[in-house]
Amino acid sequence: SYREDGKVKKRYFGKKLPIGMRLSVLKSLFFAFVFAFVIISLGFLVIGAGSDSTRNDEWTMFGRYLNHSGYINVSAPSNISKADISTTGGATIKSIPTIVNGYIYFGSTDNYFYQVNASNISQYISNYSVGVDVDSTAAVSGDYVYVGSAGGLIYQLNATNVNQSFASFNTTGSVGQSSPVVVNNYVYISSLSGQLYQLNATNISVSFANYTIFTPNDNPEGVSSIAISGSNVYVISIVDIGVSGSATIYQLNATNISKVINSYSVSAGNPDSIGEVTLTSQYAYFSIGTTLFQANITNVSKIHNTADYGKISHFPAIRDGYVYVGTSTNNMYQLNASNISIVKNNVSVANALT
């Protein structure tokens, strides 16, 4: 049916519409096609599936995977002393390099975020001036790079040219070495403001949800990066370091990070440090003080095993039923993933592994 001269008329399939009606229909179909194409392109090509690494030649985020298992099936260089060297003017690099699509991304204490050639790291591609230290490890998803800064801002940059910024979000406190995670069109990041954030990956200036894990005071605090498994988000915080320290691991809803599912706290012994969280299908591994914990992945308040190996400041690596940790006691341990109190092997090194 269509309206002509104020009257409703009918045409049936196989009969011609007036020329004006045909042009109107063609325009509608054209714009509908263009709109659908743009939406599909933005959702699939630009945002990407998330920051989880899928190729052996890439390391797209802190811990390499959403669960921070940190394993890659490639051979290490036989002699790293012969590797190419790139410098940033004497500044310190605390972030872990991210490797994607032939580029290496990393932050520096010279207030810049860098993009260099992965085949020849002495070849500079681009950088982005942040104005403060960049200790956060970047996450890459699709055409975007996400990275935090000591100034509290998290940036959404062009992965082809990091000098181009699309959006930013102010966490109101230093991000420090906390690193973003990208999945299901969300960006998750923790901040020393005591907040966890769930942001829009298309435009990180838009926040979906947040959760307060502590309120900053005059005593030192700390927070880990976020790890994700399925529909759950995991993070550790520590407060009142050196006074009456206590640390807590949180298990939150990944769809709405403001909803806490479970938590587990440690205050005995006045803990003064935390490590990162690593996840498997069964367990969450994390360290508080000098103690390594093995918790139930579906309920972190249920602790299966603990063991004391020294301070572990990084994330435990997981592979083939074993947990690998380096500690402040100058040891590298290979532990049974089902029971971390069982040591398979250990190797002594010259310095503490922190």
Side-chain angles (χ1 to χ4, degrees):
S1 299
Y2 67 97
R3 183 175 294 275
E4 185 179 275
D5 298 328
K7 298 180 180 180
V8 176
K9 297 185 178 183
K10 293 184 178 181
R11 294 288 185 188
Y12 299 96
F13 185 78
K15 296 184 178 181
K16 292 183 177 180
L17 291 172
I19 185 66
M21 288 296 296
R22 279 182 279 168
L23 288 174
S24 177
V25 171
L26 287 173
K27 286 180 181 178
S28 298
L29 289 173
F30 173 76
F31 286 115
F33 173 79
V34 171
F35 179 77
F37 177 77
V38 170
I39 294 299
I40 292 171
S41 298
L42 287 174
F44 181 73
L45 295 178
V46 178
I47 309 297
S51 56
D52 218 8
S53 301
T54 58
R55 293 171 43 177
N56 272 348
D57 60 348
E58 295 185 339
W59 192 289
T60 55
M61 61 173 288
F62 178 80
R64 192 160 195 266
Y65 301 105
L66 299 176
N67 66 359
H68 291 177
S69 59
Y71 175 80
I72 184 169
N73 187 27
V74 296
S75 299
S78 57
N79 187 348
I80 61 173
S81 66
K82 296 181 179 180
D84 292 329
I85 297 175
S86 180
T87 63
T88 59
T92 301
I93 299 173
K94 295 181 180 179
S95 66
I96 297 173
T98 303
I99 308 169
V100 185
N101 293 330
Y103 298 124
I104 295 179
Y105 307 92
F106 60 91
S108 171
T109 57
D110 67 356
N111 303 348
Y112 282 91
F113 179 70
Y114 289 90
Q115 174 186 5
V116 299
N117 189 332
S119 299
N120 181 358
I121 60 173
S122 65
Q123 182 181 348
Y124 163 85
I125 304 296
S126 185
N127 68 14
Y128 185 76
S129 176
V130 175
V132 292
D133 291 356
V134 184
D135 301 331
S136 171
T137 296
V140 180
S141 179
D143 291 339
Y144 294 133
V145 179
Y146 306 88
V147 66
S149 73
L153 288 171
I154 175 173
Y155 297 90
Q156 179 182 358
L157 308 175
N158 187 332
T160 305
N161 179 4
V162 297
N163 186 250
Q164 182 182 1
S165 174
F166 289 102
S168 63
F169 180 84
N170 191 350
T171 68
T172 69
S174 174
V175 172
Q177 289 184 278
S178 174
S179 302
V181 178
V182 187
V183 66
N184 294 332
N185 203 30
Y186 295 127
V187 176
Y188 302 88
I189 194 165
S190 56
S191 169
L192 288 174
S193 64
Q195 298 289 321
L196 306 179
Y197 292 96
Q198 178 183 357
L199 311 174
N200 185 335
T202 307
N203 180 355
I204 62 169
S205 66
V206 178
S207 173
F208 282 105
N210 68 289
Y211 181 74
T212 302
I213 52 177
F214 63 80
T215 300
N217 56 31
D218 293 335
N219 301 321
E221 299 108 359
V223 63
S224 73
S225 297
I226 286 175
I228 296 179
S229 177
S231 59
N232 292 332
V233 167
Y234 303 81
V235 68
I236 310 175
S237 69
I238 186 169
V239 296
D240 297 329
I241 299 173
V243 182
S244 55
S246 64
T248 303
I249 181 169
Y250 294 89
Q251 175 185 355
L252 307 103
N253 187 322
T255 305
N256 185 346
I257 203 170
S258 67
K259 296 181 179 179
V260 177
I261 298 171
N262 289 294
S263 65
Y264 178 80
S265 297
V266 175
S267 57
N270 190 19
D272 60 358
S273 65
I274 55 174
E276 298 288 345
V277 185
T278 298
L279 310 169
T280 66
S281 59
Q282 292 180 290
Y283 303 113
Y285 304 91
F286 57 95
S287 62
I288 297 175
T290 61
T291 303
L292 180 64
F293 291 81
Q294 177 185 349
N296 189 308
I297 189 70
T298 58
N299 184 348
V300 294
S301 67
K302 295 182 179 180
I303 305 300
H304 289 267
N305 291 290
T306 62
D308 192 332
Y309 297 112
K311 289 183 180 179
I312 303 168
S313 60
H314 53 81
F315 59 87
I318 310 289
R319 179 63 179 175
D320 293 335
Y322 294 108
V323 177
Y324 299 86
V325 292
T327 73
S328 59
T329 61
N330 300 16
N331 281 283
M332 178 74 180
Y333 290 93
Q334 179 185 6
L335 311 173
N336 188 317
S338 298
N339 186 345
I340 57 170
S341 66
I342 300 174
V343 178
K344 174 70 173 180
N345 290 295
N346 75 291
V347 177
S348 297
V349 295
N351 299 294
L353 296 168
T354 57

PDB file of all heavy atoms in Angstrom, residues 35-55:
ATOM      1  N   PHE A  35      24.079   1.867   6.431  1.00  0.00           N
ATOM      2  CA  PHE A  35      24.050   1.856   7.894  1.00  0.00           C
ATOM      3  C   PHE A  35      24.466   0.497   8.447  1.00  0.00           C
ATOM      4  O   PHE A  35      25.272   0.400   9.368  1.00  0.00           O
ATOM      5  CB  PHE A  35      22.645   2.202   8.377  1.00  0.00           C
ATOM      6  CG  PHE A  35      22.491   2.185   9.874  1.00  0.00           C
ATOM      7  CD1 PHE A  35      22.973   3.225  10.651  1.00  0.00           C
ATOM      8  CD2 PHE A  35      21.869   1.112  10.501  1.00  0.00           C
ATOM      9  CE1 PHE A  35      22.831   3.209  12.017  1.00  0.00           C
ATOM     10  CE2 PHE A  35      21.728   1.079  11.869  1.00  0.00           C
ATOM     11  CZ  PHE A  35      22.214   2.134  12.633  1.00  0.00           C
ATOM     12  N   ALA A  36      23.923  -0.578   7.870  1.00  0.00           N
ATOM     13  CA  ALA A  36      24.262  -1.930   8.329  1.00  0.00           C
ATOM     14  C   ALA A  36      25.743  -2.219   8.119  1.00  0.00           C
ATOM     15  O   ALA A  36      26.407  -2.818   8.969  1.00  0.00           O
ATOM     16  CB  ALA A  36      23.412  -2.961   7.588  1.00  0.00           C
ATOM     17  N   PHE A  37      26.295  -1.775   6.974  1.00  0.00           N
ATOM     18  CA  PHE A  37      27.719  -2.005   6.678  1.00  0.00           C
ATOM     19  C   PHE A  37      28.607  -1.301   7.693  1.00  0.00           C
ATOM     20  O   PHE A  37      29.584  -1.859   8.190  1.00  0.00           O
ATOM     21  CB  PHE A  37      28.041  -1.519   5.279  1.00  0.00           C
ATOM     22  CG  PHE A  37      29.503  -1.646   4.913  1.00  0.00           C
ATOM     23  CD1 PHE A  37      30.032  -2.880   4.559  1.00  0.00           C
ATOM     24  CD2 PHE A  37      30.342  -0.552   4.957  1.00  0.00           C
ATOM     25  CE1 PHE A  37      31.370  -3.009   4.243  1.00  0.00           C
ATOM     26  CE2 PHE A  37      31.680  -0.668   4.642  1.00  0.00           C
ATOM     27  CZ  PHE A  37      32.195  -1.901   4.283  1.00  0.00           C
ATOM     28  N   VAL A  38      28.257  -0.046   8.027  1.00  0.00           N
ATOM     29  CA  VAL A  38      29.059   0.717   8.990  1.00  0.00           C
ATOM     30  C   VAL A  38      29.018   0.060  10.358  1.00  0.00           C
ATOM     31  O   VAL A  38      30.039  -0.093  11.036  1.00  0.00           O
ATOM     32  CB  VAL A  38      28.553   2.176   9.069  1.00  0.00           C
ATOM     33  CG1 VAL A  38      29.208   2.901  10.247  1.00  0.00           C
ATOM     34  CG2 VAL A  38      28.849   2.895   7.765  1.00  0.00           C
ATOM     35  N   ILE A  39      27.833  -0.345  10.784  1.00  0.00           N
ATOM     36  CA  ILE A  39      27.699  -0.969  12.099  1.00  0.00           C
ATOM     37  C   ILE A  39      28.503  -2.258  12.173  1.00  0.00           C
ATOM     38  O   ILE A  39      29.228  -2.525  13.140  1.00  0.00           O
ATOM     39  CB  ILE A  39      26.216  -1.262  12.424  1.00  0.00           C
ATOM     40  CG1 ILE A  39      25.451   0.054  12.579  1.00  0.00           C
ATOM     41  CG2 ILE A  39      26.078  -2.113  13.663  1.00  0.00           C
ATOM     42  CD1 ILE A  39      25.960   0.931  13.703  1.00  0.00           C
ATOM     43  N   ILE A  40      28.405  -3.087  11.142  1.00  0.00           N
ATOM     44  CA  ILE A  40      29.149  -4.351  11.133  1.00  0.00           C
ATOM     45  C   ILE A  40      30.641  -4.094  11.123  1.00  0.00           C
ATOM     46  O   ILE A  40      31.416  -4.729  11.836  1.00  0.00           O
ATOM     47  CB  ILE A  40      28.741  -5.211   9.914  1.00  0.00           C
ATOM     48  CG1 ILE A  40      27.289  -5.688  10.076  1.00  0.00           C
ATOM     49  CG2 ILE A  40      29.663  -6.411   9.755  1.00  0.00           C
ATOM     50  CD1 ILE A  40      26.725  -6.356   8.836  1.00  0.00           C
ATOM     51  N   SER A  41      31.074  -3.115  10.321  1.00  0.00           N
ATOM     52  CA  SER A  41      32.504  -2.803  10.243  1.00  0.00           C
ATOM     53  C   SER A  41      33.035  -2.326  11.571  1.00  0.00           C
ATOM     54  O   SER A  41      34.091  -2.754  12.050  1.00  0.00           O
ATOM     55  CB  SER A  41      32.755  -1.733   9.166  1.00  0.00           C
ATOM     56  OG  SER A  41      32.374  -2.197   7.900  1.00  0.00           O
ATOM     57  N   LEU A  42      32.304  -1.418  12.228  1.00  0.00           N
ATOM     58  CA  LEU A  42      32.757  -0.901  13.509  1.00  0.00           C
ATOM     59  C   LEU A  42      32.810  -1.990  14.551  1.00  0.00           C
ATOM     60  O   LEU A  42      33.749  -2.088  15.333  1.00  0.00           O
ATOM     61  CB  LEU A  42      31.821   0.218  13.977  1.00  0.00           C
ATOM     62  CG  LEU A  42      31.936   1.548  13.234  1.00  0.00           C
ATOM     63  CD1 LEU A  42      30.840   2.494  13.712  1.00  0.00           C
ATOM     64  CD2 LEU A  42      33.304   2.169  13.425  1.00  0.00           C
ATOM     65  N   GLY A  43      31.811  -2.867  14.562  1.00  0.00           N
ATOM     66  CA  GLY A  43      31.761  -3.892  15.585  1.00  0.00           C
ATOM     67  C   GLY A  43      32.783  -4.981  15.393  1.00  0.00           C
ATOM     68  O   GLY A  43      33.276  -5.547  16.353  1.00  0.00           O
ATOM     69  N   PHE A  44      33.138  -5.306  14.149  1.00  0.00           N
ATOM     70  CA  PHE A  44      34.008  -6.456  13.914  1.00  0.00           C
ATOM     71  C   PHE A  44      35.439  -6.048  13.595  1.00  0.00           C
ATOM     72  O   PHE A  44      36.378  -6.608  14.128  1.00  0.00           O
ATOM     73  CB  PHE A  44      33.444  -7.286  12.768  1.00  0.00           C
ATOM     74  CG  PHE A  44      34.271  -8.506  12.472  1.00  0.00           C
ATOM     75  CD1 PHE A  44      34.253  -9.587  13.329  1.00  0.00           C
ATOM     76  CD2 PHE A  44      35.075  -8.565  11.349  1.00  0.00           C
ATOM     77  CE1 PHE A  44      35.012 -10.713  13.068  1.00  0.00           C
ATOM     78  CE2 PHE A  44      35.841  -9.687  11.080  1.00  0.00           C
ATOM     79  CZ  PHE A  44      35.805 -10.754  11.942  1.00  0.00           C
ATOM     80  N   LEU A  45      35.617  -5.035  12.754  1.00  0.00           N
ATOM     81  CA  LEU A  45      36.951  -4.693  12.293  1.00  0.00           C
ATOM     82  C   LEU A  45      37.671  -3.727  13.224  1.00  0.00           C
ATOM     83  O   LEU A  45      38.870  -3.794  13.381  1.00  0.00           O
ATOM     84  CB  LEU A  45      36.877  -4.095  10.879  1.00  0.00           C
ATOM     85  CG  LEU A  45      36.381  -5.038   9.782  1.00  0.00           C
ATOM     86  CD1 LEU A  45      36.307  -4.306   8.455  1.00  0.00           C
ATOM     87  CD2 LEU A  45      37.273  -6.268   9.659  1.00  0.00           C
ATOM     88  N   VAL A  46      36.945  -2.819  13.839  1.00  0.00           N
ATOM     89  CA  VAL A  46      37.589  -1.779  14.627  1.00  0.00           C
ATOM     90  C   VAL A  46      37.766  -2.196  16.079  1.00  0.00           C
ATOM     91  O   VAL A  46      38.848  -2.115  16.632  1.00  0.00           O
ATOM     92  CB  VAL A  46      36.785  -0.463  14.545  1.00  0.00           C
ATOM     93  CG1 VAL A  46      37.430   0.605  15.408  1.00  0.00           C
ATOM     94  CG2 VAL A  46      36.714   0.010  13.097  1.00  0.00           C
ATOM     95  N   ILE A  47      36.706  -2.674  16.714  1.00  0.00           N
ATOM     96  CA  ILE A  47      36.784  -3.013  18.122  1.00  0.00           C
ATOM     97  C   ILE A  47      37.618  -4.269  18.353  1.00  0.00           C
ATOM     98  O   ILE A  47      38.437  -4.345  19.248  1.00  0.00           O
ATOM     99  CB  ILE A  47      35.370  -3.264  18.713  1.00  0.00           C
ATOM    100  CG1 ILE A  47      34.453  -2.108  18.386  1.00  0.00           C
ATOM    101  CG2 ILE A  47      35.472  -3.481  20.214  1.00  0.00           C
ATOM    102  CD1 ILE A  47      34.847  -0.809  18.964  1.00  0.00           C
ATOM    103  N   GLY A  48      37.413  -5.290  17.519  1.00  0.00           N
ATOM    104  CA  GLY A  48      38.112  -6.545  17.703  1.00  0.00           C
ATOM    105  C   GLY A  48      37.404  -7.426  18.715  1.00  0.00           C
ATOM    106  O   GLY A  48      36.466  -7.012  19.399  1.00  0.00           O
ATOM    107  N   ALA A  49      37.871  -8.661  18.833  1.00  0.00           N
ATOM    108  CA  ALA A  49      37.236  -9.627  19.727  1.00  0.00           C
ATOM    109  C   ALA A  49      37.657  -9.441  21.174  1.00  0.00           C
ATOM    110  O   ALA A  49      37.042  -9.966  22.086  1.00  0.00           O
ATOM    111  CB  ALA A  49      37.563 -11.050  19.270  1.00  0.00           C
ATOM    112  N   GLY A  50      38.728  -8.716  21.408  1.00  0.00           N
ATOM    113  CA  GLY A  50      39.243  -8.524  22.762  1.00  0.00           C
ATOM    114  C   GLY A  50      40.756  -8.577  22.757  1.00  0.00           C
ATOM    115  O   GLY A  50      41.388  -8.765  21.714  1.00  0.00           O
ATOM    116  N   SER A  51      41.354  -8.411  23.930  1.00  0.00           N
ATOM    117  CA  SER A  51      42.813  -8.332  24.017  1.00  0.00           C
ATOM    118  C   SER A  51      43.482  -9.692  24.240  1.00  0.00           C
ATOM    119  O   SER A  51      44.696  -9.759  24.393  1.00  0.00           O
ATOM    120  CB  SER A  51      43.221  -7.360  25.126  1.00  0.00           C
ATOM    121  OG  SER A  51      42.650  -7.735  26.366  1.00  0.00           O
ATOM    122  N   ASP A  52      42.713 -10.778  24.294  1.00  0.00           N
ATOM    123  CA  ASP A  52      43.274 -12.121  24.432  1.00  0.00           C
ATOM    124  C   ASP A  52      44.199 -12.439  23.246  1.00  0.00           C
ATOM    125  O   ASP A  52      43.821 -12.218  22.093  1.00  0.00           O
ATOM    126  CB  ASP A  52      42.140 -13.151  24.461  1.00  0.00           C
ATOM    127  CG  ASP A  52      42.400 -14.283  25.434  1.00  0.00           C
ATOM    128  OD1 ASP A  52      43.379 -14.205  26.187  1.00  0.00           O
ATOM    129  OD2 ASP A  52      41.612 -15.242  25.447  1.00  0.00           O
ATOM    130  N   SER A  53      45.403 -12.957  23.496  1.00  0.00           N
ATOM    131  CA  SER A  53      46.327 -13.302  22.415  1.00  0.00           C
ATOM    132  C   SER A  53      45.876 -14.579  21.724  1.00  0.00           C
ATOM    133  O   SER A  53      45.531 -15.566  22.377  1.00  0.00           O
ATOM    134  CB  SER A  53      47.746 -13.487  22.965  1.00  0.00           C
ATOM    135  OG  SER A  53      48.204 -12.316  23.592  1.00  0.00           O
ATOM    136  N   THR A  54      45.885 -14.575  20.378  1.00  0.00           N
ATOM    137  CA  THR A  54      45.424 -15.735  19.620  1.00  0.00           C
ATOM    138  C   THR A  54      46.497 -16.307  18.699  1.00  0.00           C
ATOM    139  O   THR A  54      46.306 -17.373  18.136  1.00  0.00           O
ATOM    140  CB  THR A  54      44.187 -15.369  18.779  1.00  0.00           C
ATOM    141  OG1 THR A  54      44.521 -14.275  17.905  1.00  0.00           O
ATOM    142  CG2 THR A  54      43.020 -14.963  19.676  1.00  0.00           C
ATOM    143  N   ARG A  55      47.615 -15.582  18.525  1.00  0.00           N
ATOM    144  CA  ARG A  55      48.680 -16.038  17.630  1.00  0.00           C
ATOM    145  C   ARG A  55      50.000 -16.143  18.391  1.00  0.00           C
ATOM    146  O   ARG A  55      50.254 -15.384  19.323  1.00  0.00           O
ATOM    147  CB  ARG A  55      48.836 -15.057  16.462  1.00  0.00           C
ATOM    148  CG  ARG A  55      47.674 -15.023  15.523  1.00  0.00           C
ATOM    149  CD  ARG A  55      47.782 -13.877  14.515  1.00  0.00           C
ATOM    150  NE  ARG A  55      49.135 -13.728  13.975  1.00  0.00           N
ATOM    151  CZ  ARG A  55      49.453 -12.824  13.040  1.00  0.00           C
ATOM    152  NH1 ARG A  55      48.527 -12.018  12.553  1.00  0.00           N
ATOM    153  NH2 ARG A  55      50.684 -12.732  12.604  1.00  0.00           N
TER     154      ARG A  55
END
